[in-house]
Amino acid sequence: MKFFGLILAGVFRYPVRALLTLGSLFAAFFLFGVLQAVNTAFTAGVGIDGADRMITTGRYSIIDLMPVSHQARIAAVEGVSGVTHSTWFGGVYQDKSNFFAKFPVDPEGYFELYDEAIISEEAKTAFRNQRSGVLVTRDLAEKFDWTVGQRIPIIGDIWRTPDNEPWLFDLVGTFEWPRGSTNGPLMLINYNYFDEVRGDGARGLVGWFISRMDDPQVAEDTAASIDQVFLNSDNETKTATERDFQLSFARQLGNIGVIVSAILGAVFFTIVLLTANTMGQSVRERTSEFAVLKTLGFTNGGVLGLVLTESVLIALLGGGAGLLVAIALAPFVGQALAGVLPGFALTTESVLLGLGLTVLLGLGVGLLPSLRAMRLSIVDALGGR
């Protein structure tokens, strides 16, 4: 630590160049943090609460609706201990900027499958008894300042009312997901009311079934047994665990992990070239300074250590600041995107990975300049050769 002042003076010897380099590192690692959070949102899947649930959809697409009568046949499959159903509703509240997920669900069975949800018995009963009733997550109610008993209009897009007017739902209660859940803001609609109003064309059809396995260790066998029931029928199915279902849904947008890696690879390649050039130029301009240090008694190893430490310090100052800002903003961005990108969060693993990369970057770009400084001859350096 006694040479820290010397190292810091080396970093800011040319303030403008130092600030530009730090700014580039800041931008690169801030982008790293944001993209890691996006990747987490697309790949986190469900928590341990959903480890025993499976999703059954139409074989070819989630938009292939299936008869609700499939529920009883899935429930009869060995290894299945409970089944409910859900459907994608779409629609918007007031305008498209207020998007959040809305699912018509079976009011009798939904919370038996999602028993981790925190909800009062009073709200469950009201949801079952009031056909136009809806439940929303507490954060959603707070965001729009909704209160129980309030009528909520939803403009339909996929599903419309017979007179093409907005759907009118009555808020009968709220619920919460447990801490750490990757489930986001959600509105649950009473399926019976939804099915009655949407008309005869799709009556009795649902989007997907959610079932609970007796033994998650044999999930593949249970999924195959469910799909076997509907093989060669007009409504063949595809069953997967809830986590695999969510991952496959995310992959419809592309392999997010590969996209994130490609962007970060391009950014870091540029940053490595920029920082390496800065360090190399800095050492070339200070050859006489290193000669003086060696004259004063600094060993070759000591000079190498000074330059390497200076390089790592630059990376940590710029990259670390970028990561800190990403950490600070992630909760607010996650809250703002909760309706469209639940699970947006910068994990501890991502932060540690970022810090590790800053250190590696500093060591990598500082290695050659530090070796050059170490090998400097005092006579040649003072002679300008």
Side-chain angles (χ1 to χ4, degrees), residues 70-106:
H70 276 18
Q71 180 169 333
R73 300 176 68 183
I74 294 174
V77 172
E78 184 177 356
V80 174
S81 59
V83 187
T84 189
H85 60 78
S86 185
T87 305
W88 181 261
F89 183 83
V92 296
Y93 173 65
Q94 298 179 331
D95 59 61
K96 292 183 179 180
S97 63
N98 293 329
F99 177 82
F100 52 85
K102 312 166 198 68
F103 297 150
V105 301
D106 174 14

Side-chain angles (χ1 to χ4, degrees), residues 12-333:
F12 292 102
R13 184 183 183 89
Y14 299 99
V16 175
R17 186 167 66 196
L19 290 175
L20 289 175
T21 304
L22 292 175
S24 301
L25 288 164
F26 171 88
F29 280 91
F30 175 72
L31 182 62
F32 169 85
V34 172
L35 291 178
Q36 285 296 315
V38 171
N39 193 33
T40 299
F42 277 101
T43 59
V46 296
I48 192 170
D49 291 332
D52 60 349
R53 287 194 292 259
M54 291 190 300
I55 304 293
T56 299
T57 64
R59 180 176 179 181
Y60 300 105
S61 171
I62 192 175
I63 64 173
D64 294 335
L65 301 179
M66 298 172 291
V68 71
S69 58
H70 276 18
Q71 180 169 333
R73 300 176 68 183
I74 294 174
V77 172
E78 184 177 356
V80 174
S81 59
V83 187
T84 189
H85 60 78
S86 185
T87 305
W88 181 261
F89 183 83
V92 296
Y93 173 65
Q94 298 179 331
D95 59 61
K96 292 183 179 180
S97 63
N98 293 329
F99 177 82
F100 52 85
K102 312 166 198 68
F103 297 150
V105 301
D106 174 14
E108 299 289 340
Y110 183 83
F111 288 105
E112 293 179 10
L113 267 292
Y114 288 90
D115 53 3
E116 73 270 25
I118 304 169
I119 181 173
S120 67
E121 288 300 323
E122 181 184 4
K124 287 183 185 177
T125 302
F127 188 47
R128 285 195 296 267
N129 295 338
Q130 188 161 346
R131 294 171 69 81
S132 62
V134 293
L135 295 170
V136 299
T137 48
R138 189 180 302 277
D139 53 352
L140 203 56
E142 292 174 351
K143 177 180 179 180
F144 295 113
D145 199 23
W146 290 337
T147 57
V148 173
Q150 182 172 341
R151 176 152 289 190
I152 302 172
I154 299 295
I155 303 169
D157 44 23
I158 302 172
W159 307 109
R160 298 178 182 273
T161 59
D163 55 6
N164 216 26
E165 292 293 320
W167 291 73
L168 296 177
F169 299 113
D170 297 299
L171 181 60
V172 296
T174 62
F175 66 100
E176 292 180 88
W177 297 115
R179 188 179 182 83
S181 172
T182 56
N183 290 311
L186 179 62
M187 171 182 280
L188 299 178
I189 301 168
N190 188 319
Y191 174 80
N192 298 323
Y193 176 71
F194 160 74
D195 195 43
E196 176 186 318
V197 175
R198 67 176 166 173
D200 296 333
R203 186 159 294 166
L205 299 177
V206 299
W208 60 89
F209 294 95
I210 307 112
S211 55
R212 170 163 287 147
M213 298 170 279
D214 289 330
D215 184 2
Q217 301 297 323
V218 294
E220 289 188 8
D221 294 339
T222 306
S225 297
I226 292 174
D227 293 338
Q228 183 66 32
V229 172
F230 305 103
L231 190 63
N232 297 323
S233 72
D234 292 337
N235 300 102
E236 294 189 47
T237 61
K238 180 181 180 182
T239 304
T241 63
E242 193 169 72
R243 173 181 171 79
D244 289 341
F245 170 76
Q246 292 191 4
L247 290 177
S248 66
F249 189 77
R251 288 188 186 113
Q252 292 181 21
L253 300 177
N255 192 325
I256 301 300
V258 171
I259 294 173
V260 169
S261 300
I263 294 174
L264 289 176
V267 171
F268 280 117
F269 179 72
T270 305
I271 290 299
V272 165
L273 293 181
L274 174 67
T275 313
N277 180 61
T278 300
M279 286 303 302
Q281 187 174 354
S282 175
V283 169
R284 285 195 298 273
E285 292 171 347
R286 294 155 57 195
T287 51
S288 58
E289 178 181 321
F290 293 124
V292 170
L293 290 177
K294 289 187 176 183
T295 304
L296 293 175
F298 276 76
T299 63
N300 287 336
V303 171
L304 182 142
L306 281 177
V307 178
L308 264 184
T309 305
E310 183 180 317
S311 177
V312 172
L313 182 60
I314 290 174
L316 282 174
L317 287 175
L323 284 174
L324 282 176
V325 173
I327 293 170
L329 293 181
F332 301 101
V333 177

